[in-house]
Amino acid sequence: MRTTRPKALAPAALALLLAAVATACSGSAGAADSRTVTVTVGYQSKTINTVTAGTLLRSLGYFEEELAARGRKDGVTYKVDWQDYATGAPITAQMTAGKIDIGSMGDFPLLINAVRGKELKQPTRLVSVTGYNLRGGLNTMVTAPDSKLESLADLRGKKVSTSVGSAADGTLVRALRRAGIDPSSGIEKLNQQPSVGASALQAGSVDALSQFVAWPGQLAYEGRAKALYDGAELNVPTFHGVTVREKFATERAGVLDDFLRAQRRATDHLRTEPVAAAESVAKETGLPAEVVYLYNGANGIATFDPALRPELIEALKQDVPVLKDAKLVGDVDVDAFVDPAPLARVTAAGTGTEPYPRAVAARPELWLKGQARTTSFDSPRELLKAARGADVRAAYVPDAVTGTLWFADKAVWVAEGPELRAFVTPAGAQAYVAAHQGSGARIVSFAEAGALAS
């Protein structure tokens, strides 16, 4: 029997046939995947001065809106994978593995992010700021409510919990040095996650806790700690910012622009609707709204502005020696790490992107129950007078020297003639009284301060 062999296909026809078979075998999902881009964002939900690039931004859906608009133009479906972490270190680990595209973290972790990215051939760039405090008030040291410790000098030989490599650790190191205590031998430092350190403080296994926003405020609000040292005493700026993988920023420059536009919209929302923003973040994180507002409110400890301000970049450079001493980084080229171009692109192309005003001195603020707005006052005395007999949800007052906002009922009060002044820490109040002995300045309780104000 004679068999007929099929005619051989021409090379071009064969290539087309193989391509068709490959497409058929891959199924519709493969085709769909080629038109789908997932952007992975690492954030820290409970580090609440990053909310404009994380928790608040996610809840508002602004990034998804910007990407949907882009998708309608280029025929691509964009998805956002939000990944929540407790600190910046795991975000950096995932970024250097190519698994997170955009992340937000504090100034010290940002430097580690820069170094690790360069070492592991996944370079990153700092493209915007979320929240900042020009004096360093975002970091605080606290002790147990019944602790006898009242100053940094009392920490000598004590156990202190912090997260090594974090901005809070940087505050601890700098503060101890200023107090004449060697950070490496003068205390017993325990490297712990914030939640672990908070539990250790409550259990009595550590004497103090140095942590970043919002842990100190939360512990104080809940009556589980009292402030020992206000980071603003250092008068060194601290901030959190947004970092992006360089490869992603190059290949998806438009998507990065969308993110920065969305961050700007979230910043606008927070600044114009601070109470609503605090309530939203509280709902998403489980943090008390009163604590969120302490940091993110109209007079809050954090000022929100995406701008890469020169004083913040200079502070970043000052952070490098602290991390080098801890052997966490070598030399860091901060100028090469900072990339202002994406934010400049967005600002130039957008509307309503005028520069935000710089941080101004905080004012006393009263939040009454059932109210969607707060009231600010010109003096602590006026605040206490208005709060007397009112249904108060939270009352906030700035430290008389550092300006750091604190809960009025947790502050240390000083009466000086007709004036009433508040301080975050006992040491701050004692230093003021010692310097104003001739004026009759004296420390009084919160109840006494309230009575004197009426």
Side-chain angles (χ1 to χ4, degrees):
M1 183 176 178
R2 186 177 174 184
T3 7
T4 305
R5 292 185 180 179
K7 188 183 289 185
L9 291 172
L14 179 61
L16 287 172
L17 177 62
L18 291 174
V21 171
T23 301
C25 291
S26 66
S28 59
D33 287 346
S34 67
R35 297 192 299 272
T36 299
V37 172
T38 299
V39 184
T40 306
V41 180
Y43 73 109
Q44 303 172 64
S45 65
K46 293 192 175 182
T47 305
I48 55 174
N49 61 317
T50 66
V51 294
T52 53
T55 308
L56 182 64
L57 178 59
R58 179 180 183 177
S59 68
L60 292 170
Y62 289 162
F63 188 29
E64 286 81 355
E65 287 180 13
E66 296 285 345
L67 290 176
R70 178 170 298 278
R72 287 191 291 272
K73 295 176 182 177
D74 61 19
V76 174
T77 298
Y78 293 94
K79 297 180 179 179
V80 184
D81 178 13
W82 296 91
Q83 296 186 6
D84 188 8
Y85 296 89
T87 63
I91 296 177
T92 289
Q94 293 293 87
M95 290 186 79
T96 54
K99 296 180 179 179
I100 285 181
D101 303 308
I102 302 170
S104 55
M105 59 191 70
D107 41 13
F108 279 77
L110 280 168
L111 290 170
I112 296 174
N113 181 274
V115 171
R116 298 291 181 267
K118 186 176 180 180
E119 290 174 347
L120 298 173
K121 311 301 181 185
Q122 281 279 11
T124 57
R125 295 291 180 262
L126 173 63
V127 292
S128 71
V129 169
T130 56
Y132 69 88
N133 183 284
L134 290 178
R135 291 188 61 105
L138 296 171
N139 306 307
T140 311
M141 295 183 213
V142 296
T143 60
D146 58 352
S147 173
K148 302 301 182 185
L149 305 180
E150 291 193 338
S151 70
L152 286 176
D154 296 333
L155 286 180
R156 198 181 299 273
K158 303 297 183 182
K159 293 181 180 180
V160 182
S161 172
T162 191
S163 300
V164 172
S166 73
D169 183 34
T171 292
L172 175 63
V173 169
R174 283 177 165 141
L176 289 174
R177 285 176 177 167
R178 287 194 184 183
I181 301 173
D182 187 336
S184 60
S185 61
I187 63 166
E188 183 180 344
K189 184 193 293 187
L190 282 74
N191 181 18
Q192 297 175 324
Q193 290 284 329
S195 58
V196 175
S199 298
L201 184 68
Q202 192 169 12
S205 55
V206 298
D207 300 291
L209 171 73
S210 181
Q211 272 302 344
F212 48 78
V213 50
W215 286 96
Q218 179 185 358
L219 294 173
Y221 175 76
E222 295 172 346
R224 294 193 288 154
K226 64 179 180 181
L228 177 73
Y229 183 81
D230 174 6
E233 292 183 41
L234 288 173
N235 202 21
V236 176
T238 185
F239 70 98
H240 283 66
V242 175
T243 178
V244 62
R245 287 192 302 112
E246 186 181 81
K247 183 178 180 182
F248 179 86
T250 301
E251 295 176 352
R252 300 286 179 186
V255 174
L256 175 58
D257 290 357
D258 290 338
F259 183 88
L260 294 174
R261 264 190 295 272
Q263 184 195 346
R264 176 72 190 220
R265 291 173 62 190
T267 304
D268 290 341
H269 175 79
L270 184 147
R271 292 179 70 119
T272 57
E273 298 290 340
V275 172
E279 295 278 21
S280 174
V281 171
K283 181 180 178 181
E284 294 291 327
T285 62
L287 289 166
E290 297 84 353
V291 173
V292 178
Y293 197 83
L294 171 72
Y295 293 97
N296 296 4
N299 291 281
I301 300 173
T303 297
F304 287 83
D305 182 354
L308 295 161
R309 295 188 179 278
E311 57 266 53
L312 299 181
I313 305 308
E314 180 58 34
L316 201 60
K317 294 177 181 179
Q318 293 179 31
D319 293 342
V320 174
V322 179
L323 287 175
K324 286 182 72 174
D325 287 348
K327 295 181 173 52
L328 293 173
V329 302
D331 293 326
V332 185
D333 188 344
V334 172
D335 291 325
F337 176 53
V338 177
D339 183 4
L343 192 60
R345 269 197 318 265
V346 170
T347 303
T351 56
T353 53
E354 295 78 12
Y356 291 111
R358 288 177 176 269
V360 296
R363 301 172 66 201
E365 196 170 358
L366 185 63
W367 187 1
L368 298 178
K369 291 180 180 177
Q371 298 294 312
R373 291 285 185 273
T374 60
T375 304
S376 296
F377 299 88
D378 291 331
S379 71
R381 173 180 284 276
E382 291 180 13
L383 169 78
L384 293 178
K385 189 174 181 179
R388 191 172 180 84
D391 198 6
V392 176
R393 182 167 182 180
Y396 308 94
V397 65
D399 184 283
V401 174
T402 67
T404 301
L405 206 67
W406 205 240
F407 297 108
D409 61 331
K410 307 299 182 185
V412 183
W413 287 86
V414 170
E416 185 180 13
E419 299 296 327
L420 292 167
R421 309 182 194 279
F423 296 84
V424 173
T425 67
Q430 290 162 5
Y432 185 89
V433 169
H436 296 79
Q437 291 180 348
S439 66
R442 68 191 193 283
I443 294 176
V444 297
S445 68
F446 175 59
E448 288 177 292
L452 289 169
S454 60

